[in-house]
Amino acid sequence: MEYTLDIDETPPTVPGGTGVLLLHPSTGETDRIDTEFFKTDTDKFLVVSTRTTAREVRQKLEYYDVDEKSAEILDTLSIERGHSRRSSDTVHYVSAPDDIDGILEHIEGFLDEHEGKLRVSIDSVTELAYYADDEAALDAVDSILELLAEYDAIGLFHVSEEVHDDEIVDAFRDRFDGVIDLDADGTVAAEF
């Protein structure tokens, strides 16, 4: 299955199973890239949020005019922070951002339950590494990439290169089929 990408400097399409690394210096422009990733050629998408709550993800989708009927959100923050939460058909929770088993289980369930063109965004792998550690985050990325390949889905993985050592950034970079480098001014460069 081929998926259309509508992000500056990226190829027009990528095959199912593709993982795309979004390297960025800050979170300012990442919302634009994330929502461009979802808007095109998508039947269902899952946002795994280790950086913001489900409410904030919904606000982002609304602001960027993304069809929320296609969205599912996995909120990893609200329980740990003691926020009120209401599970629904489209909003789910795990206990903490380092509940990697819970995150992987939910991603697999999402991919297994839906048909068509499926996209997953991990926003962000950097936060996952902060709560767990770099090795656990790298292992989680490997597991998610295997799921994307198995279910012919594609994924976008956010990593803040300012936070990690160069060798860790390189370890993330080596795992992906494509890399989008987002500069602080919003300029995009891509390697596929």
Side-chain angles (χ1 to χ4, degrees):
M1 190 181 317
E2 289 288 312
Y3 287 79
T4 300
L5 286 184
D6 193 16
I7 301 169
D8 294 345
E9 304 299 319
T10 63
T13 62
V14 294
T18 296
V20 179
L21 176 63
L22 174 58
L23 282 176
H24 56 88
S26 69
T27 58
E29 285 285 317
T30 61
D31 287 353
R32 176 179 61 87
I33 302 293
D34 213 24
T35 53
E36 286 173 358
F37 179 72
F38 295 136
K39 276 185 175 181
T40 307
D41 201 22
T42 305
D43 293 307
K44 286 282 186 186
F45 66 88
L46 171 66
V47 179
V48 178
S49 186
T50 61
R51 186 176 61 84
T52 58
T53 64
R55 181 180 57 79
E56 293 166 302
V57 172
R58 277 200 184 118
Q59 289 170 344
K60 171 175 80 173
L61 297 177
E62 187 177 316
Y63 180 81
Y64 284 94
D65 197 29
V66 177
D67 182 5
E68 290 185 59
K69 291 191 280 309
S70 301
E72 271 194 36
I73 301 166
L74 181 62
D75 178 334
T76 70
L77 291 174
S78 289
I79 291 176
E80 183 181 74
R81 292 184 178 173
H83 296 172
S84 62
R85 58 207 176 275
R86 292 187 189 98
S87 286
S88 68
D89 290 343
T90 58
V91 178
H92 308 275
Y93 299 88
V94 293
S95 60
D98 60 354
D99 181 2
I100 292 172
D101 289 341
I103 291 169
L104 293 174
E105 185 178 313
H106 189 83
I107 292 170
E108 184 168 18
F110 168 82
L111 294 171
D112 195 51
E113 288 169 22
H114 299 290
E115 293 182 355
K117 295 193 173 182
L118 307 176
R119 298 180 187 233
V120 177
S121 170
I122 312 299
D123 184 10
S124 98
V125 177
T126 295
E127 292 295 319
L128 182 62
Y130 172 77
Y131 285 95
D133 61 42
D134 289 333
E135 284 306 315
L138 287 163
D139 289 346
V141 164
D142 289 340
S143 296
I144 296 166
L145 289 170
E146 287 174 15
L147 289 170
L148 295 177
E150 180 181 344
Y151 287 94
D152 207 23
I154 64 172
L156 183 68
F157 298 71
H158 297 234
V159 171
S160 176
E161 58 191 327
E162 294 174 334
V163 176
H164 303 282
D165 294 337
D166 289 346
E167 67 183 48
I168 297 297
V169 172
D170 289 343
F172 281 121
R173 189 184 280 275
D174 290 345
R175 285 165 159 74
F176 290 91
D177 306 303
V179 178
I180 298 170
D181 275 300
L182 178 63
D183 287 341
D185 66 0
T187 304
V188 170
E191 274 179 57
F192 279 77

